[in-house]
């Protein structure tokens, strides 16, 4: 399988929307809005409209992964002001360190395509885009899977720890029972 990546833009919106709609709005209708300023609107349609508006304004940094012409996943990234709503924020802020230049918010792989390297392609694509934008320190907030009962892919929306380790990220600190801050310089 030859995976390619493209940024989420008004031109790729329909590909993204098709993937989200085929997966029930993703995580109960999130439409990948949870990490943006203001977060979720609380409704599937509201989130769809809010995401579309952000994309139209050019206020979204998100790599889409394609298998041929079909969008099969993504990786959302941005600066801390662009993605302020990270998971476990209270604990994160209590032990704040130097802020990163970039954050990776969420990763999604179409449920029928999991286990085919799509998340790895998504993170690699996001890191390539970060390099093109000048690079810097990148943070991710993955879930620990080692020494833990198996989890459904949907529960790993920030990605598994080992995925980031393969891309040079290292643990910085724990912010939840199974969630870590990991950093890499790009």
């Amino acid at each position: 399988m030859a995976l390619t990546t493209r940024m989420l833009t008004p031109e790729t919106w329909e590909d993204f929307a098709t993937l989200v709609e085929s997966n029930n709005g993703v995580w109960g209708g999130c439409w990948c809005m949870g990490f943006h300023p203001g977060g979720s609107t609380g409704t599937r349609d509201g989130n769809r409209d809010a995401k579309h508006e952000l994309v139209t304004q050019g206020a979204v940094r998100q790599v889409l992964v394609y298998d041929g012409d079909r969008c099969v996943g993504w990786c959302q990234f941005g600066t801390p002001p662009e993605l302020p709503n990270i998971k476990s924020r209270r604990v994160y802020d209590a032990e704040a360190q130097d802020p990163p230049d970039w954050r990776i918010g969420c990763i999604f792989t179409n449920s029928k395509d999991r286990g085919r390297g799509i998340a790895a392609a998504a993170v690699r694509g996001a890191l390539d885009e970060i390099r093109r934008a000048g690079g810097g320190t990148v943070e991710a907030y993955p879930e620990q899977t080692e020494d833990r009962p198996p989890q459904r892919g949907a529960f790993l929306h920030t990605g598994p720890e080992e995925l980031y380790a393969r891309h040079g990220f290292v643990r910085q600190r724990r912010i939840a029972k199974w969630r870590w801050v990991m950093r890499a310089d790009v």
Side-chain angles (χ1 to χ4, degrees), residues 40-95:
S40 174
T41 67
T43 70
R44 180 176 279 122
D45 289 341
N47 286 336
R48 183 189 198 285
D49 293 345
K51 187 70 169 200
H52 188 254
E53 181 64 25
L54 289 173
V55 170
T56 301
Q57 294 171 358
V60 170
R61 297 186 208 231
Q62 194 163 321
V63 169
L64 303 179
V65 179
Y66 288 82
D67 179 6
D69 292 332
R70 189 171 62 97
C71 182
V72 293
W74 71 71
C75 180
Q76 178 189 64
F77 66 98
T79 64
E82 292 169 335
L83 299 178
N85 300 324
I86 63 172
K87 299 291 183 182
S88 308
R89 183 62 190 254
R90 188 175 19 186
V91 174
Y92 178 90
D93 286 345
E95 299 177 16

Side-chain angles (χ1 to χ4, degrees), residues 8-170:
L8 174 57
T9 65
E11 293 74 32
T12 59
W13 169 259
E14 286 304 320
D15 299 336
F16 171 72
T18 297
L19 176 59
V20 174
E21 289 167 354
S22 71
N23 284 274
N24 197 30
V26 178
W27 301 304
C30 176
W31 277 83
C32 202
M33 280 298 297
F35 291 90
H36 288 294
S40 174
T41 67
T43 70
R44 180 176 279 122
D45 289 341
N47 286 336
R48 183 189 198 285
D49 293 345
K51 187 70 169 200
H52 188 254
E53 181 64 25
L54 289 173
V55 170
T56 301
Q57 294 171 358
V60 170
R61 297 186 208 231
Q62 194 163 321
V63 169
L64 303 179
V65 179
Y66 288 82
D67 179 6
D69 292 332
R70 189 171 62 97
C71 182
V72 293
W74 71 71
C75 180
Q76 178 189 64
F77 66 98
T79 64
E82 292 169 335
L83 299 178
N85 300 324
I86 63 172
K87 299 291 183 182
S88 308
R89 183 62 190 254
R90 188 175 19 186
V91 174
Y92 178 90
D93 286 345
E95 299 177 16
Q97 299 175 347
D98 294 332
D101 299 301
W102 299 91
R103 287 187 168 144
I104 292 180
C106 64
I107 300 172
F108 180 78
T109 300
N110 186 39
S111 60
K112 295 176 178 80
D113 293 299
R114 292 190 180 133
R116 298 175 53 204
I118 292 163
V123 170
R124 187 172 40 258
L127 294 174
D128 288 345
E129 292 295 332
I130 289 169
R131 276 185 202 92
R132 275 192 272 285
T137 300
V138 183
E139 268 187 1
Y141 314 98
E143 297 278 331
Q144 177 180 335
T145 56
E146 191 174 299
D147 301 324
R148 178 182 185 182
Q151 300 294 302
R152 285 190 11 221
F155 290 109
L156 299 174
H157 65 278
T158 55
E161 181 181 14
E162 53 274 6
L163 169 64
Y164 291 99
R166 287 193 304 265
H167 289 281
F169 285 74
V170 295

